């Protein structure tokens, strides 16, 4: 497998772009010397600049639930492109996509479109702070909510009740108002509320964590967050940027039967075009400008192209009763193949799943929080990733990330994946 064209593109990119990439994980540093550069996608497959074909199990980190180039999505974009790219005033497609989202997500009465997941969480936090008149936000280690200053915080040493920035440029004050607690640890949340409940505006959580690998919530955890936040007059924000319209049409909130006050959505609702959204209870959303006093805006918000692509993808998912069961079954088939392969290769590997999502940790399980993920043997993952790539399977280019199946995967693709595992898991074992 030659990747010479990617290498040359990387050398050019390095001269004009920091690290040669537009988002850090694309550097592929954990698994390769230089990044692969993608050229085109088709169904379940992606082709790199050298013409190598890979089964795409990354799917742009989630949005491509229908795979690459689904004819309905491409046609919707083409049709809209011929009509207009953007208006800067309201348009019909924004209403239609909002209606679809409000109809699908039980806890969303109104929704506001933005252009990324980061904008969605940033705006939801502003709204939560305005609605409660409080400043402190609780987040969980290992959950990612975009690069919002206030959410780029990590727990300080010792007491869990003050946090530090994770990046230079994030003011200490911005991080101080964020409490970072371990995921899946309800007593830690109860203790934080006992100490500072009157200051806490919101708890933001990935209802199924997928940014430290897939870490499902333990029994009663999300229900506990709902109970504690409500008891203290704080809001519960579900960040469903990954789980929304992936785990099922009604998202994780539908899966668990919970009613967060606010919900953040992202890439999935744009079918692969840049978009995000936040929504929730009507009385809260009515605080957003121009109805209310909480300012939030965007020139390209509700981009007609993104709305058209999102509507095409989500309508297909909403109208096909078999879609989510099939996506879930595909994920389960990949997980089963991984478990069986690991056993046959005699390598310690914990496979964790949620509907439409899975990940493999090279350590004993269960993996329940970020501390547990530190046991994951990244050297083994690197060997595994490389051997899979050599056999034409593209996995997330970093350990502790989720594998994203798509509906473009059929029996043949599941077979390709399974066939590549013996060699790759043996490489992992010997790494
Ligand atoms: N929230 C979650 C749960 C995410 O996974 C991500 C990014 N993958 C974001 C927020 C940020 O979204 P974006 O990269 O579109 O800003």
């Amino acid at each position: 497998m030659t990747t010479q064209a990617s290498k040359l593109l990387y050398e050019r990119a390095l001269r004009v772009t920091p690290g040669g990439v537009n988002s850090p994980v694309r550097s592929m540093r954990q698994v390769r010397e230089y990044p692969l550069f993608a050229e085109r996608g088709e169904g379940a497959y992606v082709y790199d600049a050298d013409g190598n074909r890979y089964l795409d199990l990354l799917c742009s980190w989630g949005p491509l639930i229908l795979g690459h180039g689904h004819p309905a999505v491409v046609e919707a974009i083409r049709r809209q492109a011929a009509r207009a790219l953007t208006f800067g005033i309201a348009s019909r497609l924004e209403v239609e996509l909002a209606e679809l989202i409000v109809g699908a997500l039980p806890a969303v009465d109104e929704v506001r479109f933005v252009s990324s997941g980061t904008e969605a969480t940033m705006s939801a936090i502003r709204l939560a702070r305005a609605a409660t008149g409080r400043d402190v936000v609780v987040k969980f280690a290992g959950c990612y909510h975009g690069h919002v200053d206030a959410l780029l915080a990590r727990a300080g040493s010792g007491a869990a009740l003050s946090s530090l920035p994770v990046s230079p440029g994030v003011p200490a004050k911005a991080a101080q108002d964020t409490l970072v607690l371990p995921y899946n640890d309800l007593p830690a949340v109860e203790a934080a509320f006992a100490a500072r409940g009157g200051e806490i505006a919101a708890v933001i959580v990935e209802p199924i964590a997928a940014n430290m690998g897939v870490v499902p919530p333990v029994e009663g955890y999300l229900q506990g967050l709902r109970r504690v936040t409500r008891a203290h007059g704080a809001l519960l924000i579900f960040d469903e940027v990954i789980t929304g319209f992936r785990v099922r049409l009604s998202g994780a909130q539908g899966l668990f039967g919970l009613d967060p006050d606010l919900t953040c959505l992202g890439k999935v609702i744009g079918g692969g075009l840049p978009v995000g959204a936040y929504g929730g209870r009507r009385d809260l959303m009515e605080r957003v400008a121009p109805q209310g006093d909480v300012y939030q805006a965007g020139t390209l918000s509700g981009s007609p192209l993104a709305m058209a692509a999102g509507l095409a993808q989500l309508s297909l998912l909403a109208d096909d009763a078999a879609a989510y069961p099939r996506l879930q079954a595909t994920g389960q088939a990949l997980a089963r193949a991984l478990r069986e392969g690991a056993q046959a290769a005699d390598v310690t590997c914990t496979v964790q799943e949620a509907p439409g999502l899975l990940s493999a940790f090279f350590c004993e399980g269960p993996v329940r929080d970020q501390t547990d993920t530190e046991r994951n043997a990244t050297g083994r993952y690197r060997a595994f990733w490389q051997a899979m790539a050599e056999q034409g399977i593209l996995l997330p280019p970093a350990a502790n990330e989720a594998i994203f199946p798509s509906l473009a995967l059929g029996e043949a693709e599941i077979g390709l994946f399974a066939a590549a595992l013996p060699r790759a898991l043996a490489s992992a074992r010997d790494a």
Side-chain angles (χ1 to χ4, degrees):
M1 176 178 114
T2 166
T3 54
Q4 196 56 25
S6 280
K7 189 167 191 206
L8 292 175
L9 282 170
Y10 179 54
E11 283 162 6
R12 283 170 59 192
L14 274 179
R15 284 182 221 121
V16 287
T17 302
V21 291
N22 286 299
S23 198
V25 73
R26 292 185 203 173
S27 71
M28 300 193 165
R29 264 176 210 172
Q30 237 190 56
V31 293
R32 277 180 61 84
E33 256 175 69
Y34 53 89
L36 294 175
F37 280 71
E39 195 76 36
R40 70 187 177 91
E42 192 182 316
Y45 298 93
V46 66
Y47 295 78
D48 71 14
D50 289 273
N52 298 305
R53 186 182 87 154
Y54 306 88
L55 182 62
D56 186 1
L57 295 178
L58 180 58
C59 286
S60 189
W61 305 96
L64 301 178
I65 294 192
L66 301 171
H68 289 275
H70 189 285
V73 177
V74 173
E75 183 49 32
I77 295 170
R78 206 194 306 276
R79 209 175 327 120
Q80 183 55 42
R83 290 164 66 88
L85 299 181
T86 178
F87 299 109
I89 62 172
S91 67
R92 169 190 297 273
L93 294 174
E94 294 163 75
V95 185
E96 292 180 359
L97 186 57
E99 285 172 347
L100 195 156
I101 289 169
V102 166
L105 295 180
V108 175
D109 302 327
E110 294 186 26
V111 64
R112 167 61 65 83
F113 292 114
V114 292
S115 296
S116 69
T118 295
E119 269 187 84
T121 59
M122 178 184 79
S123 309
I125 284 188
R126 182 180 304 142
L127 177 56
R129 285 173 162 162
T132 56
R134 304 170 180 178
D135 286 344
V136 175
V137 172
V138 173
K139 84 171 282 282
F140 301 101
C143 286
Y144 178 67
H145 305 290
H147 64 96
V148 181
D149 273 0
L151 298 174
L152 288 181
R154 63 182 165 86
S157 56
L161 294 186
S162 100
S163 304
L164 304 168
V166 296
S167 168
V170 174
K173 279 191 202 136
Q176 265 163 20
D177 278 334
T178 305
L179 298 185
V180 183
L181 303 178
Y183 193 71
N184 269 332
D185 183 349
L186 193 56
V189 177
E190 285 165 341
F193 270 93
R196 296 184 65 183
E199 298 168 64
I200 299 174
V203 170
I204 185 165
V205 65
E206 285 184 76
I208 297 166
N211 280 291
M212 50 176 154
V214 175
V215 179
V218 296
E219 189 71 36
Y221 176 62
L222 295 174
Q223 291 78 0
L225 294 183
R226 180 63 287 186
R227 182 169 35 75
V228 176
T229 46
R230 193 163 273 152
H232 287 270
L235 302 186
L236 179 61
I237 305 174
F238 270 14
D239 181 347
E240 296 225 43
V241 164
I242 284 182
T243 55
F245 294 96
R246 172 164 284 274
V247 298
R248 58 164 62 184
L249 195 70
S250 54
Q253 53 196 260
L255 185 65
F256 297 116
L258 285 166
D259 58 338
D261 302 291
L262 294 173
T263 299
C264 300
L265 297 166
K267 42 203 167 189
V268 184
I269 63 166
L273 291 190
V275 74
Y278 65 108
R281 264 171 40 203
R282 191 177 306 280
D283 63 302
L284 294 170
M285 292 307 290
E286 283 182 348
R287 286 291 302 267
V288 177
Q291 176 96 345
D293 54 352
V294 180
Y295 189 70
Q296 182 272 309
T299 303
L300 296 180
S301 293
S303 148
L305 283 186
M307 300 291 106
L311 262 173
Q313 170 156 282
L314 298 191
S315 308
L316 274 172
L317 294 171
D319 294 344
D320 177 3
Y324 285 103
R326 196 154 70 74
L327 186 64
Q328 180 167 359
T330 302
Q332 286 168 338
L334 300 178
R336 198 174 324 117
L338 266 166
R339 284 193 192 102
E340 288 171 6
Q343 197 170 16
D346 198 20
V347 58
T348 302
C349 180
T350 298
V351 181
Q352 299 195 167
E353 287 179 76
L357 281 170
L358 66 147
S359 56
F361 301 92
F362 287 102
C363 61
E364 297 286 351
V367 175
R368 289 167 41 130
D369 63 15
Q370 194 182 37
T371 308
D372 289 346
T373 68
E374 286 162 12
R375 299 198 308 262
N376 191 3
T378 52
R380 288 197 202 283
Y381 187 79
R382 178 184 168 91
F384 176 64
W385 188 95
Q386 288 179 351
M388 290 299 271
E390 279 158 19
Q391 298 176 89
I393 316 277
L394 183 68
L395 293 170
N400 300 330
E401 297 284 3
I403 291 173
F404 294 95
S406 78
L407 287 168
L409 302 187
E411 289 299 322
E413 283 73 29
I414 294 169
L416 279 180
F417 177 76
L421 288 174
R423 197 180 119 198
L425 288 164
S427 303
R429 179 197 58 216
D430 298 339

